Structures are given as structure tokens and as C-alpha cells.
Amino acid sequence: MDIPDPLRYARTHEWVSEPEDDVVTVGISDFAQDQLGDVVFVELPAVGDRVSAGDAVAVVESVKTASDIYAPVAGEIVEVNGDLENAPEAINEAPYDGGWLFRIRADDVSARDALLDADAYRAVCEEEA
């Protein structure tokens, strides 16, 4: 199970990158994609959408189930990963690279600090495994 240290994690299995000019990248963790199985479809938010932390903003569908994806921080969606429309399997193949979902210009980037660090998230995954 790959859980990169520089990222922060939500208990709902989204990861958040370090901010660049108040923008964070969001995706689902390696643990989450493994639990979902083969991803076959992704419904992404629209650029310009305003989201609050905890809002369901995307859906990832796999051969097993559909799962809501939640905004880990509040802000404005500034970019979505359009490549996933034709290649949703990128989430399984590279959840931290080509499989990212969307980018948020955070209202308060310090909100990221309230999310789980890699060690705390690893403990959550071990409880759920």
C-alpha cells in the first residue's frame, strides 16, 4: 500500500497535495483505488464550482460499486483531470500521478494541515483492511 509522506489524507480516502499558489491537487489513495477495484467511469466537478470541505463533488465508478469523492478543503474547482474521461483506469494505475481528479484553489490552505498525515492515514487503512 503506497501512502506518500508529503500528502495529507481525509478519512474518506482522498489525498491532498502540498499547495502551489493556494491550489491543491486532489485524488483518491492507493488504498481506496484497491478497495474499489477496476475503475470504469469518473464523474468530475465543473471548473468554477465552489465547494465546502466535506461536499460530495465527484463520483468514481468501478466494476464493484460507485463511490462519492468529497472535497477535503473548501474553495473553487480550478481544473479537472479531463484525461480520466477516456482513461479512468489511470486512477488504478497511478493514483498519485496521472490519476489525480481535480484541483481546488483553497479558501484557506492551512485547512490542509487538519487532515491526516501519512502515519495517521496508514493507521486508518489498517483498521479498515
Side-chain angles (χ1 to χ4, degrees):
M1 175 174 35
D2 186 19
I3 302 175
D5 281 332
L7 302 176
R8 290 293 185 143
Y9 301 86
R11 287 191 175 276
T12 49
H13 304 291
E14 294 83 10
W15 58 263
V16 181
S17 69
E18 294 196 27
E20 292 181 29
D21 296 326
D22 296 336
V23 174
V24 296
T25 301
V26 178
I28 63 169
S29 70
D30 186 44
F31 176 83
Q33 70 77 25
D34 184 62
Q35 295 294 304
L36 283 170
D38 294 337
V39 175
V40 296
F41 178 76
V42 180
E43 181 182 321
L44 296 170
V47 171
D49 282 358
R50 297 256 342 132
V51 298
S52 296
D55 285 355
V57 296
V59 177
V60 173
E61 293 184 17
S62 71
V63 293
K64 294 181 185 178
T65 189
S67 184
D68 286 334
I69 307 301
Y70 301 95
V73 297
E76 179 184 354
I77 304 292
V78 294
E79 186 179 357
V80 297
N81 187 350
D83 293 343
L84 296 177
E85 186 174 312
N86 294 320
E89 66 276 6
I91 294 171
N92 296 114
E93 295 165 0
Y96 303 112
D97 296 312
W100 63 274
L101 299 173
F102 52 88
R103 293 193 168 110
I104 298 175
R105 181 173 310 284
D107 291 343
D108 178 6
V109 293
S110 68
R112 178 185 177 275
D113 298 336
L115 298 171
L116 303 172
D117 65 15
D119 289 336
Y121 180 66
R122 193 170 289 110
V124 168
C125 294
E126 288 169 1
E127 287 173 13
E128 293 185 15

